[in-house]
Amino acid sequence: MFSLNEKCAVVGVYDVPEAAKYAYFSLFSMQHRGQEAAGICSSDGERLHLVKNRGLVTQVFDKAKLKKLTGDAAVGHTRYSTAGDDSILDAQPIFARYDLGQIAVVHNGNLTNSKEVRRELIREGAIFQTFMDTENLIHLIAKSQKEHLYDRIIDAVKRIEGAYSLLFLSRKKMFAIRDPHGFRPLSIAKLGDGYVVASETCAFDLIGATYLRDIKPGEMVVFEKGKEPRSIQVFEPTPHKCIFEFIYFARPDSYIFGKSVYKLRKNMGRELAREFPVDADMVVPVPDSGVAAALGYAEESGIPFELGIIRNHYVGRTFIEPTQEIRDLKVKMKLNPISELIKGKRLIVIDDSIVRGTTSKKIVQILKDAGAKEVHMRISSPPTTGPCYYGVDTPEEKELISARMSTPEIKEYIGADSLAYLSIEGLIRSVGNDQSYCKACFDGNYIVPNKNG
Ligand code: AMP
């Protein structure tokens, strides 16, 4: 089986004393992007040091492990869970020795031609240790005949296709690069005399780094001691940034692609209220994913916002569980309505997306069981009709309820009194009428073909 490098978080810290500590806190703030495994590789200028394991950031690292990660440069990663291959081998950073020395790489995204590249590399004699597409990069770099790592990275990325926000660490330097479409985010900040590069800006807030800018689509930034970071536009930028970061994935306190996630989520709620108003007594978010959009909906409609459903925060995301029975149970473990508040009331319930339909169905059921008179589901994104090949962990098409059923059929399936989704046009208006986003999961426009089959 080929395990894809799903939605993850990456961080790089350069020229900052105790870099691994800052990488650790950065990863902690981006834990929502991947809960399966975590790792950090540091450089003391002579050697690279690696710690990675399965588990949450706080489980993988303790004082003793962080102490091992000496040096003033580090790269780190948290990995998102997929069914199946979750062995320690598939944790990142990936570390390797090659003719130029030692190297570590972390990757957020998903390569769409990884199978063909791997097949070719194997034919030429390469031996792989993991199922990760990211390992291809190490081989491509090792194979390149160029004298400098910098040129080898360029050789390697020219061979790969798809979504990648990558960080490479060598003994002396760090390299950050984003694919020409800029599918996945990657931002730079200043910390003391050094720099931090991270998937989300919430990492900078935690460690007190000052946001400078985003790495541009197709741009590589080289960090070297005693020099200003050097920027090279490796590819002509053709922006196609993931709109789902705004809808669901990123933390609301982050700026993604230079925009406030919270603000855009509220805009989506406002648009939704304008497109699909309904007479009701209160607006209730599905916590936490629907909160910002529900606030926007309530503000726009003038209908009071109430926290009618309470979430137990000690339960992981339900989406990632492999079997249907466990998913059902976990929704009940996670969400509980306040009956006192909702009994006899007409509710507008807001969530960010419906994927398989499990969550919405359960929510309608628990609200009705608790005495709600009417439940009107409003979703702050369009129907998810296609999988993501660019790094978001969506299930296969056959599992996506909107790929199989019409909105009226889904309404019946989940048992709601009405159901409506934000339109694609409404979504685009919410993000500032900007057309440079990838929304393939909603409109099927896959700009980079998936060659992995
Ligand atoms: P489902 O029960 O399969 O319809 O899942 C819908 C719920 O999963 C919604 O509450 C979303 O907030 C959440 N969700 C949507 N996309 C993802 C994703 N890629 N990973 C994890 N959760 C997601």
Side-chain angles (χ1 to χ4, degrees), residues 80 244 248 289 319 351-359 392-393:
Y80 200 83
F244 203 69
Y248 173 77
S289 50
F319 185 84
D351 203 358
D352 69 293
S353 57
I354 296 182
V355 182
R356 296 180 177 90
T358 322
T359 311
V392 177
D393 181 29

Side-chain angles (χ1 to χ4, degrees), residues 27 34 44 57 61 85-86 121 150 169 191 195 227 281 296 360 388 419:
L27 292 180
D44 60 15
V57 176
F61 298 99
D85 281 281
D86 58 353
L121 286 164
Y150 148 85
L169 183 68
L191 181 63
Y195 295 89
K227 293 187 181 168
D281 302 310
S360 309
C388 178
L419 166 68

Side-chain angles (χ1 to χ4, degrees), residues 7 32 35 80-81 244 247-249 286-290 317-320 324 327-328 331 334-335 350-363 377 379 381 384 388 391-395 399-401 414:
K7 203 94 188 210
H32 60 289
Q35 294 103 43
Y80 200 83
S81 178
F244 203 69
I247 295 167
Y248 173 77
F249 219 82
V286 174
D288 296 323
S289 50
R317 286 177 177 180
T318 58
F319 185 84
I320 57 183
Q324 194 67 26
R327 260 200 299 277
D328 287 354
V331 172
K334 188 157 112 175
L335 302 170
I350 313 277
D351 203 358
D352 69 293
S353 57
I354 296 182
V355 182
R356 296 180 177 90
T358 322
T359 311
S360 309
K361 190 177 167 66
K362 286 285 160 196
I363 283 168
M377 282 298 292
I379 305 299
S381 67
T384 306
C388 178
V392 177
D393 181 29
T394 40
E399 286 186 56
L400 296 171
I401 194 165
I414 65 174

